[in-house]
Amino acid sequence: MRVCIVGASGKLGRYMVQHALDRGYEVVGVCRERSVGKLDAFKGRITVVPGFTNDRAVIKQAVAGCDGVLTVLVPWGSNHYASGTAQAVLDCAPLGARLIFSCGWHITRDGKDVWPRSLKREEKLARWLGRLTRIVDIDDQVEACRRVFASDARWTVVRGSDLEEGESQGLPVWSRHVGDPILESNITRRVDYALFMVAALENDELVHEAPAIVGCVTRSALAAKTGG
Ligand SMILES: NC(=O)c1ccc[n+]([C@@H]2O[C@H](COP(=O)([O-])OP(=O)(O)OC[C@H]3O[C@@H](n4cnc5c(N)ncnc54)[C@H](OP(=O)(O)O)[C@@H]3O)[C@@H](O)[C@H]2O)c1
């Protein structure tokens, strides 16, 4: 299995690189030129293609011959970075490749999510700050996911809860809709978010799904398991 990790130098990206290597996959990582050093720990074990992730030429080179592409969609900047990245991956990935994208709970596929008030407040604040500073563009991440949802490719969009650092607790559990009691704890270890992304490559049940995830030993996940 040869996989490309787009956004490999970030925290989520580096965890995904490690999980992919642990599974014996051949790994190609894409990251901004100035971030290549963040992948030094993997030197000699992965191929790094430096460049902006919304640069089609960079993506075309990186995804060639890949069976799967793991893409970190981030709402940074004001130049349509997330939608440009998603489009480049959708256009350039080999036919039939598994495409896994990351985003947050604020993304909805079918409008049936019920968000906690805290999340609505955070999103409102991020939109306001984004308009003011142009550092973040939430709507562009929404547009990126809209394009993925509309595509015929074999995609999965993994919607992350709030994240924390720490040792792995195991594969997160998921639901189709935010607001489902199983997700109430709203916390996942970042290392396990990465685990879910990488495991999705070989889980065909997740094709054309947008799972919202939560840590498997959180209170709400355990309560759902025991029927409590
Ligand atoms: N943080 C959370 O609480 C949270 C919650 C739910 C879901 N998520 C989702 O999880 C994924 C990873 O998020 P994360 O917060 O954990 O961050 P992360 O893994 O550290 O990744 C941040 C990524 O953004 C890139 N980046 C940073 N500044 C940039 C800029 N100005 N222009 C272009 N790229 C830039 C980084 O590249 P460099 O290495 O080159 O800087 C890196 O690839 C995202 O899809 C996010 O929506 C996050």
Side-chain angles (χ1 to χ4, degrees), residues 9 11-12 32 35 38 73 76 81 102 141 160-161 190:
S9 56
K11 287 176 275 186
L12 184 67
R32 298 185 293 173
S35 305
K38 291 202 232 166
L73 286 179
W76 300 123
Y81 200 65
S102 73
Q141 202 184 26
S161 66
R190 198 178 255 102

Side-chain angles (χ1 to χ4, degrees), residues 6-16 30-36 38-39 51-54 71-79 81-82 85 101-107 119 122 135 141 158-165 186-188 190 193 197:
V6 177
S9 56
K11 287 176 275 186
L12 184 67
R14 279 174 287 166
Y15 282 131
M16 289 197 292
V30 181
C31 70
R32 298 185 293 173
E33 190 126 31
R34 67 181 189 192
S35 305
V36 170
K38 291 202 232 166
L39 292 169
F52 290 106
T53 60
N54 61 347
T71 305
V72 181
L73 286 179
V74 284
W76 300 123
S78 57
N79 61 343
Y81 200 65
T85 298
F101 298 86
S102 73
C103 68
W105 275 9
H106 60 286
I107 298 293
L119 190 75
E122 276 168 34
I135 289 174
Q141 202 184 26
V158 184
R159 301 183 290 154
S161 66
D162 283 353
L163 302 178
E164 65 178 2
E165 293 302 326
N186 186 13
I187 196 76
T188 310
R190 198 178 255 102
Y193 186 2
M197 296 275 294

Side-chain angles (χ1 to χ4, degrees), residues 13-102:
R14 279 174 287 166
Y15 282 131
M16 289 197 292
V17 171
Q18 189 57 60
H19 289 311
L21 289 174
D22 290 347
R23 285 167 188 240
Y25 298 163
E26 189 183 336
V27 176
V28 181
V30 181
C31 70
R32 298 185 293 173
E33 190 126 31
R34 67 181 189 192
S35 305
V36 170
K38 291 202 232 166
L39 292 169
D40 277 354
F42 304 108
K43 227 175 196 161
R45 293 189 288 154
I46 69 171
T47 304
V48 178
V49 178
F52 290 106
T53 60
N54 61 347
D55 181 329
R56 291 172 66 88
V58 168
I59 295 298
K60 194 171 178 188
Q61 181 195 341
V63 301
C66 285
D67 308 290
V69 184
L70 298 148
T71 305
V72 181
L73 286 179
V74 284
W76 300 123
S78 57
N79 61 343
H80 307 295
Y81 200 65
S83 56
T85 298
Q87 195 64 57
V89 171
L90 291 171
D91 291 346
C92 302
L95 213 64
R98 275 293 273 132
L99 309 182
I100 320 292
F101 298 86
S102 73

